[in-house]
Amino acid sequence: MTAPPGGWFTPRAQHAPPHGPRSAPPVPDRQVWPPVARDDPGGASTQPFPAVRSESAPLPRSAPPPGPLEIPGTAREDLPASPAPVGRPARTALQVTAAVLALAMAVAVPTWDGYLTYKDARPDDRVHTFAAGRTATFRHVSWQVAVTESDGLPGDRPLEPDRRWLRIRLTRTALDPEGVIRRGIPDVEVRHPDGRSWVAQITGDDVPSDAAEHRVGTPYHYEVLSLVPRALAREVSVCVRPSSFRTIENESFEDSMKRASRESELNDNVLCFRR
């Protein structure tokens, strides 16, 4: 219970004068609670003491961090967005991409060099086309082609209805001693104008292997077989790639290899005979 303003007071006892009644001076009230401090001449205030928080009371919450600075008159979406930081996955992806590109370059450079070396050693074919039955003369040798069609070969199983054998007789004639030296075995294949090609296999020949037996002006033959689609048998061409190798009598194999490495003649000429 809180003392009223001014404190609780106890009135002093009123004593009658010994010699009859007379008015006595009034005695002031005395404050009994709260006690008056000795050095407080005028009494003490009766206001209650402020409450003291106990140790177990929770501390006041810290203020939240200040939000982004608001510019008066500018909407939030109008402000430029801050760039997103590059995280670890993005950095890893960049590193992987750089490694792949470096590896691709390391592989591509020697591969490209190898391709250029291959193209230098074997450039694109230089095709020489001749009409059916014509004779082609190339580097001291004349060439001629004759073709017959067949549905089968002796002793061989019957062909599928859509296939056709081409029996090719390839004739070569040396025009001079240099033509005799150039008696290497040629490559033969069958080609269609649309770019398709089929293998042609040399099955036999009567070309002398010894230069002393090889006569200038005498025709010698290669027997060649090729299997092609029946519908294209009349449309294909027989293409011959003469050998650039020169065989010189009494020359050792080592010397012939050394000479061949010094000679710059390429095997890029092809003679195509139409049907």
Side-chain angles (χ1 to χ4, degrees), residues 24 35 61-62 75-76 91 111 134 139 191 244 261:
R61 295 182 180 180
S62 59
R76 183 179 299 274
R91 290 197 300 269
T111 301
R134 292 290 303 273
R139 287 179 180 170
R191 297 182 181 179
S244 60
S261 65

Side-chain angles (χ1 to χ4, degrees), residues 171-182:
T171 303
R172 78 176 305 275
T173 303
L175 303 179
D176 53 30
E178 180 67 19
V180 174
I181 293 175
R182 296 175 176 272

Side-chain angles (χ1 to χ4, degrees), residues 75-133:
R76 183 179 299 274
E77 56 270 14
D78 296 335
L79 296 177
S82 58
V86 179
R88 184 176 298 274
R91 290 197 300 269
T92 303
L94 292 176
Q95 293 172 355
V96 171
T97 302
V100 170
L101 291 177
L103 178 60
M105 289 297 295
V107 173
V109 170
T111 301
W112 179 252
D113 290 341
Y115 172 75
L116 294 179
T117 302
Y118 168 80
K119 293 298 291 183
D120 290 340
R122 184 167 183 174
D124 295 335
D125 289 342
R126 292 188 286 180
V127 179
H128 311 274
T129 305
F130 304 91

Side-chain angles (χ1 to χ4, degrees), residues 9 43 49 54-55 70 72 79 84 98 123 143 183 213 253 264:
F9 296 90
F49 293 102
S54 65
E55 295 181 358
E70 297 289 344
L79 296 177
W143 299 89
R183 61 182 182 275
E213 300 177 2
F253 178 77
S264 58

Side-chain angles (χ1 to χ4, degrees), residues 9-16 22-31:
F9 296 90
T10 303
R12 295 181 179 273
Q14 300 293 327
H15 298 282
R22 63 178 181 181
S23 59
V27 180
D29 294 335
R30 186 181 60 183
Q31 179 177 334

Side-chain angles (χ1 to χ4, degrees), residues 150-215:
S150 175
D151 289 331
L153 300 177
D156 196 8
R157 62 183 181 180
L159 285 179
E160 294 84 353
D162 60 342
R163 295 291 176 178
R164 190 81 163 164
W165 282 110
L166 296 183
R167 304 182 69 168
I168 304 167
R169 186 174 178 86
L170 176 62
T171 303
R172 78 176 305 275
T173 303
L175 303 179
D176 53 30
E178 180 67 19
V180 174
I181 293 175
R182 296 175 176 272
R183 61 182 182 275
I185 300 175
D187 292 330
V188 185
E189 68 176 1
V190 175
R191 297 182 181 179
H192 192 270
D194 64 6
R196 288 179 290 173
S197 63
W198 295 265
V199 175
Q201 182 68 39
I202 297 177
T203 59
D205 68 85
D206 59 4
V207 180
S209 59
D210 191 351
E213 300 177 2
H214 200 125
R215 305 300 180 183

